[in-house]
Amino acid sequence: MWYLIPAILISIFIILSYGCFRKCFYAANRKPTDPYKPLRGPQYQEVKEKMLENTRFMDGLAFEGVTITSFDGTRLFGRYYHHKDGAPVMIFFHGYRSAALRDGAGGFRLNKNLGINVLAVDQRAHGQSGGHVITFGVKEQYDCLCWAEYAAQRFGANTPIILSGLSMGAATVIMATALPLPPSVCCVLADCPYSSPKEIVCTVSRDLGFPAWLSYPFLWFGARIFGSFDLSSGGAAAVAGSCSLPAMIFHGEDDRLVPCEMGREISNNSDGHIAVETFPYAGHGLSYMIDPARYEMCYTNFLRSVPALSRHFAQIGNAVDV
């Protein structure tokens, strides 16, 4: 009996950890996310039509399907939208269980108006990319490196590359700045990034009514054993101090999923390379929808301040319809 009780407790722990893994990190259904499906919550309902309009605009344009193989053999898929010959290329990474046609549609329209080519990728375990495990940036940051290397090789060393993302994608691109990115990567744009994988799963657990001290061991063990990744391995805030690229964070002050304080923390941990702009009343990923004029101004002014992009903006001048 004394041997049986620990065995039962260990079994229960493993079963619960596996349940957490399946719920939080596993993507069993390979059917792409419907970008037209309305998001739940009053914050999204207020801007639903504006979001759908942007999605329809992006979805209606022709693109080139691109496939690469990531560092661990995972097949990754992206959509390349060509707007201007010789222009910078922005690589965009969407958020958790979402799609670029939803998360990146607003910025896509802005980039098109700025003459910036866009490579909108499906994150691993999403859309047409392979894999079944979402790792909250732990492995996705290396996918980002692979995409940057692909872009540098395809478009040449003289073509500036911009890394951009929203939510999990935003954390991913900041985490990737700690990796040996190609020299042509010139800056980073991150909309509502979380400070680390550990902190965001703990925050969401608390929001759902589960104390982090109780839920995190199951989440960590499930990710480590069944997903082969470590939730506690760094994060955007941890690498911010080593970021040498100019970077801009946008964050809604009424973000009820990824607290605005996380964006500020990442910026505060940097050595002045990561600026932050916060937007009153804006929910998660909704800064552009709530205040498009200020967002476009901050976005465009930041890009114009990046030395590697000066030639591009000198060519297009002030004739930018945003």
Side-chain angles (χ1 to χ4, degrees), residues 37-118:
K37 183 178 180 180
L39 294 169
R40 290 176 295 179
Q43 290 181 311
Y44 296 103
Q45 292 303 311
E46 295 174 4
V47 296
K48 178 178 68 173
E49 291 306 318
K50 198 182 300 184
M51 292 177 67
L52 288 174
E53 178 187 349
N54 288 329
T55 297
R56 283 191 291 266
F57 176 77
M58 184 176 180
D59 198 16
L61 295 181
F63 65 86
E64 174 194 347
V66 177
T67 301
I68 68 169
T69 301
S70 192
F71 69 100
D72 60 353
T74 301
R75 175 187 174 277
L76 302 176
F77 177 82
R79 297 163 178 79
Y80 174 66
Y81 296 85
H82 187 82
H83 299 145
K84 189 176 187 297
D85 292 345
V89 175
M90 175 174 288
I91 310 176
F92 177 79
F93 297 80
H94 62 75
Y96 175 76
R97 299 195 190 277
S98 192
L101 283 175
R102 173 191 289 158
D103 292 352
F108 174 83
R109 184 189 290 269
L110 178 54
N111 286 315
K112 184 178 186 300
N113 292 334
L114 292 171
I116 296 173
N117 301 321
V118 176

Side-chain angles (χ1 to χ4, degrees), residues 141-298:
Q141 63 183 310
Y142 295 99
D143 296 339
C144 180
L145 172 61
C146 292
W147 278 114
E149 291 173 340
Y150 161 80
Q153 182 178 12
R154 171 173 175 176
F155 300 105
N158 294 326
T159 299
I161 297 171
I162 305 163
L163 300 181
S164 177
L166 184 140
S167 194
M168 185 179 79
T172 295
V173 296
I174 295 177
M175 292 166 71
T177 63
L179 304 177
L181 294 167
S184 52
V185 175
C186 65
C187 64
V188 174
L189 287 161
D191 195 317
C192 56
Y194 46 74
S195 53
S196 72
K198 175 182 178 180
E199 287 304 314
I200 190 59
V201 298
C202 287
T203 298
V204 173
S205 293
R206 285 191 291 266
D207 291 343
L208 294 174
F210 301 103
W213 63 265
L214 178 62
S215 60
Y216 185 70
F218 296 100
L219 291 163
W220 178 87
F221 188 81
R224 193 74 184 88
I225 300 303
F226 303 110
S228 301
F229 72 98
D230 187 355
L231 269 177
S232 62
S233 60
V239 308
S242 63
C243 176
S244 59
L245 295 172
M248 171 71 78
I249 290 174
F250 302 93
H251 217 126
E253 295 179 11
D254 194 21
D255 193 324
R256 301 170 191 176
L257 181 62
V258 179
C260 189
E261 288 71 22
M262 289 191 177
R264 294 192 181 103
E265 179 187 355
I266 296 169
S267 177
N268 292 337
N269 285 1
S270 73
D271 293 330
H273 291 287
I274 305 178
V276 62
E277 291 285 347
T278 63
F279 291 75
Y281 314 114
H284 185 62
L286 296 180
S287 296
Y288 185 42
M289 297 292 101
I290 295 298
D291 193 349
R294 180 172 165 241
Y295 194 103
E296 289 167 356
M297 180 187 69
C298 295

